[in-house]
Amino acid sequence: MFGRTMFGHTIFGHTILGHPPFVHRRMFSRAAFPMLAALTLVSSTTRASAQGVQNGTTIEGTVAPGNNFDKANFRLWFPNDVPSFQGIVVLVPGSNGDGRPQAQDTVWQAFAIKHKMALVACQFTDKPHDQGFFEDYIKVSEGSGNALLSTINDFAQKSKHPELATAPFLMWGMSAGGQFNYEFVAWKPERVIAFVVNKGGVYYSALLSKASRAVPGMLFVGGKDLEFRTNTIVGLFAVNRRGGALWALAEEPGVGHVVGRSRDVATVFFEDVLPMRIAQAGAPLKPLVEKSGFLGDFKSKTFKAMGDSAAPGYPTAWLPTQRSANAWQGILTEKPF
């Protein structure tokens, strides 16, 4: 748990010395990256699951190698019986992985059906370089972000769902997937409903803009993960939360570099934030008010409604609802929620 001060003390059982171990922030060009996505309509499918029969359509998209990536492949899945979608769940895998099969995950498909969302699952890979654990493609402003956006624009046309071209994102990812999400929020906060950082260790931005800090986020660390990763995420959380970031930090005490229960918590978090952020289709996302949420205390592993009370003089988690706060508490205490 958090000690008396942020650095040089034990945090969630990890000792942090000196300054937060950020990868240094870099300035990037935000010039548009021209590209064409090759799209293929794969199939209109019927899939059985515990939730029943799910009728959906899958479309594949590919972008030619770009400035900061080698491969960029994408898969759109959407339920056939939804006339208009209110957003997209973006699914980003770990380092250089192929996340496209996640579009066929019945958990995410059930979520998409329930909330009138489409799924876009991603594959990004780096060009060869000598430090593979520093993924270049997570620097979204250098090309990979536009690869995602241009493909979604093409998906909107091919699927005959033009609303997808401007639909906001819920961003899920594991490891480097969470890194990509964080950098995307830094780059285009106005496009993101909420996001997850999940045990990844490399980031190119530290203190984000006020607009980015206003995007609700859930940052996961593993109690048995590498301290390099954990310390970095704790530091990112601390500096941004001090600036009013509407973020929570959640440790899974018994896990290392795995998903664990983070997806269970994330789906609760996403489900709660979604109606709070979307007023109507096509409208700007609604801002959230910090005092309307709940504060999670890392020391006592409890939470309370914030209201007009002053925040303590040490870092606390921000949760949008009591239900999300219960899930946050459950993952910290390793109890059901």
Side-chain angles (χ1 to χ4, degrees):
M1 63 181 66
F2 277 104
R4 183 168 51 84
T5 59
M6 282 303 298
F7 304 110
H9 293 268
T10 299
I11 300 176
F12 287 135
H14 299 270
T15 301
I16 298 182
L17 301 176
H19 298 289
F22 302 131
V23 177
H24 65 278
R25 182 168 185 160
R26 301 178 184 175
M27 298 300 293
F28 302 120
S29 168
R30 295 191 178 184
F33 185 77
M35 58 191 66
L36 293 175
L39 296 176
T40 304
L41 177 62
V42 175
S43 62
S44 179
T45 59
T46 300
R47 301 183 183 281
S49 75
Q51 290 77 28
V53 175
Q54 302 177 9
N55 297 312
T57 296
T58 299
I59 303 175
E60 304 285 347
T62 298
V63 173
N67 181 51
N68 73 322
F69 62 89
D70 183 22
K71 293 181 181 178
N73 297 312
F74 306 92
R75 179 173 297 163
L76 169 70
W77 182 90
F78 60 90
N80 291 335
D81 56 354
V82 176
S84 182
F85 296 99
Q86 64 175 339
I88 299 170
V89 182
V90 177
L91 307 168
V92 192
S95 183
N96 292 281
D98 189 350
R100 288 175 293 175
Q102 292 185 55
Q104 271 61 55
D105 187 318
T106 55
V107 171
W108 287 120
Q109 288 185 351
F111 184 94
I113 292 167
K114 181 178 180 180
H115 299 291
K116 299 181 179 179
M117 305 286 285
L119 305 178
V120 172
C122 307
Q123 178 192 27
F124 287 104
T125 65
D126 268 356
K127 297 175 181 179
H129 59 92
D130 61 354
Q131 289 187 305
F133 53 88
F134 290 139
E135 296 89 357
D136 285 338
Y137 67 81
I138 67 172
K139 295 181 282 188
V140 298
S141 62
E142 293 195 355
S144 53
N146 275 322
L148 172 62
L149 294 179
S150 67
T151 302
I152 288 174
N153 287 341
D154 289 335
F155 281 157
Q157 181 179 7
K158 188 72 174 180
S159 67
K160 299 181 181 180
H161 279 281
E163 72 277 9
L164 293 179
T166 56
F169 301 158
L170 290 170
M171 303 196 75
W172 160 262
M174 170 62 195
S175 191
Q179 297 165 201
F180 183 95
N181 297 347
Y182 181 89
E183 296 297 337
F184 196 96
V185 170
W187 183 48
K188 289 194 177 294
E190 71 281 357
R191 194 70 190 265
V192 183
I193 304 165
F195 74 103
V196 159
V197 164
N198 204 348
K199 309 177 184 78
V202 177
Y203 304 84
Y204 294 86
S205 305
L207 177 62
L208 302 192
S209 69
K210 189 174 182 179
S212 298
R213 299 196 302 269
V215 178
M218 184 76 71
L219 285 66
F220 294 99
V221 296
K224 295 183 179 179
D225 204 351
L226 290 177
E227 289 190 28
F228 289 112
R229 298 188 182 113
T230 300
N231 294 354
T232 300
I233 294 173
V234 169
L236 291 173
F237 170 79
V239 69
N240 284 282
R241 183 73 185 105
R242 187 177 184 187
L246 302 182
W247 300 355
L249 179 68
E251 184 199 32
E252 295 188 80
V255 307
H257 199 62
V258 296
V259 171
R261 291 204 295 167
S262 63
R263 187 175 70 170
D264 298 336
V265 176
T267 52
V268 170
F269 172 63
F270 286 165
E271 195 166 62
D272 287 357
V273 167
L274 194 55
M276 300 170 71
R277 294 275 279 155
I278 293 182
Q280 59 185 28
L285 294 169
K286 294 189 293 184
L288 299 186
V289 178
E290 184 176 13
K291 290 186 179 297
S292 69
F294 291 76
L295 290 183
D297 190 310
F298 301 108
K299 295 181 178 181
S300 62
K301 298 182 181 179
T302 60
F303 62 86
K304 66 177 182 179
M306 184 171 183
D308 293 326
S309 61
Y314 52 86
T316 54
W318 185 89
L319 292 310
T321 64
Q322 184 170 346
R323 180 169 174 257
S324 291
N326 281 328
W328 171 85
Q329 184 182 51
I331 204 170
L332 261 64
T333 58
E334 299 183 279
K335 294 180 180 178
F337 54 86

